[in-house]
Amino acid sequence: MTDALIELDSVAKRFSRKAGLAEKIASRLGARIDRRVVHALDGVDLSIAKGEVVGLVGESGCGKSTLGRIVAGILPQTSGSVKFRGRETASLSGVEARAAKVAVQMVFQDPFASLNPRKRVREIVGEAPLYHGVVGRAELDDYIDDVLLRVGFDPAYRRRYPHQFSGGQRQRIGIARALAVKPEFLVCDEAVAALDVSIQAQVLNLFMKLREEFDLTYLFISHDLGVVEHISDRTVIMYLGRVVESAPTDELFREPNHPYTRALLAEMPRISVGRRRFEPIKGEIPSPMAPPSGCHFHPRCPFATERCRRERPALKEIAPGRLSACHLNDENH
Ligand code: SF4
């Protein structure tokens, strides 16, 4: 692997759950309220090399969006370190901190919610590059046109508002906004999930074209294994706040190691119809407010042993470039 652009080391994120109205009243009346904590991320290690496209997969509520926001610098971690080009982002200040923030941009699932409905396309795309000094006011219009053309959006419509466009066109505006500050790294959080299948393919192809053109690195977050298989060099699987497997995409889909990955693949229509080799996952994902002891997957794992209930399995190298967190990989499990 080449030099890491982004490195996460033991990153944890906890959110305190806000008390509901009933709890607030009960508390005022003197009842003891349990302020429970959501363990969104629990000791995540992840390294992404320059130029890599990493797909991050997991069920809803597994912490993948939280991880994306921490990587993009939108959310601070509770503990652990995040490095950009080998430097702790928390220790950067002034110009360096701003440069690191600009270098990592995010593309969201719902472009309608993430685009200001009162602003025209030219303001949405042009505001940040002007603010960060990427372009001067005199060249701004030409610059906006160029960015819009590169994402396949007709600059003739730049005076229109987001609601005047389809979902696919709005997503192109969102991508243009991210690209306009010349980032090195894009975090795409379910960036095609809200689009029709035919439009999804167009937007995925656009991401790949932009990768070449701008030498971009991607963290591509998705619940859709088909999308991740199509776009990623490496796939990372998360379960309840932890990374459980990471491998080159073709190897992971051909020969998954972790029982959770195998169960996820069993639920992929392409595999389950023709050659079902694995059992699909049983039961619901447990609450991140009360994650199971030991291996978080043990209540749903058909291979769980007493050790799995007690001891957290470490994320270990099982083959060159392949990591998995399962006690079954130990010789004497
Ligand atoms: Fe299953 Fe145990 Fe492996 Fe966890 S560590 S995935 S419970 S076998």
Side-chain angles (χ1 to χ4, degrees), residues 47-239:
S47 172
I48 302 177
K50 171 129 189 78
E52 246 194 322
V53 178
V54 173
L56 183 63
V57 184
E59 287 166 285
S60 153
C62 73
K64 54 192 192 304
S65 288
T66 302
L67 183 63
R69 281 165 168 73
I70 288 174
V71 168
I74 296 173
L75 205 61
Q77 67 272 29
T78 307
S79 60
S81 89
V82 179
K83 288 183 184 158
F84 180 72
R85 290 195 177 290
R87 308 257 325 261
E88 287 263 358
T89 52
S91 70
L92 300 176
S93 58
V95 177
E96 284 181 323
R98 259 211 312 278
K101 250 199 159 96
V102 166
V104 185
Q105 291 293 309
M106 196 145 183
V107 177
F108 296 93
Q109 169 175 4
D110 182 356
F112 201 54
S114 67
L115 301 177
N116 188 332
R118 282 187 289 276
K119 290 193 174 168
R120 297 174 196 270
V121 172
R122 74 173 296 279
E123 293 165 299
I124 291 170
V125 177
E127 229 167 29
L130 190 64
Y131 176 79
H132 290 291
V134 174
V135 65
R137 199 169 283 282
E139 307 87 45
L140 184 62
D141 279 346
D142 286 346
Y143 183 73
I144 293 169
D145 287 1
D146 181 57
V147 175
L148 290 173
L149 279 173
R150 285 172 189 267
V151 302
F153 186 96
D154 187 345
Y157 300 129
R158 66 198 173 124
R159 291 189 176 279
R160 295 195 180 173
Y161 293 92
H163 73 266
Q164 295 177 281
F165 298 99
S166 65
Q169 289 297 85
R170 284 202 293 264
Q171 193 54 293
R172 286 176 199 268
I173 301 168
I175 297 167
R177 178 181 57 181
L179 273 186
V181 292
K182 302 201 165 143
E184 292 178 62
F185 192 112
L186 284 187
V187 177
C188 303
D189 188 5
E190 300 282 6
V192 296
L195 307 175
D196 292 344
V197 175
S198 62
I199 309 293
Q200 269 190 12
Q202 289 174 15
V203 175
L204 288 175
N205 289 340
L206 173 63
F207 279 126
M208 290 302 92
K209 177 181 93 85
L210 297 173
R211 175 194 191 182
E212 299 296 320
E213 257 178 72
F214 294 93
D215 198 18
L216 288 168
T217 305
Y218 285 95
L219 177 62
F220 208 89
I221 299 167
S222 180
H223 68 283
D224 186 333
L225 282 160
V227 165
V228 166
E229 185 182 21
H230 178 74
I231 202 166
S232 313
D233 303 320
R234 182 156 59 97
T235 297
V236 173
I237 308 285
M238 274 189 80
Y239 186 77

Side-chain angles (χ1 to χ4, degrees), residues 244-302:
V244 297
E245 184 161 6
S246 166
T249 297
D250 53 344
E251 291 182 32
L252 184 130
F253 280 81
R254 199 175 54 241
E255 213 51 63
N257 174 271
H258 196 279
Y260 177 61
T261 313
R262 293 193 229 165
L264 273 185
L265 292 192
E267 291 182 348
M268 252 182 114
R270 178 174 61 77
I271 289 175
S272 59
V273 171
R275 47 188 176 107
R276 179 184 286 270
R277 290 181 293 161
F278 314 119
E279 284 297 315
I281 314 169
K282 294 185 181 76
E284 296 288 313
I285 188 166
S287 165
M289 282 195 281
S293 59
C295 173
H296 282 170
F297 190 53
H298 83 251
R300 302 167 85 187
C301 180

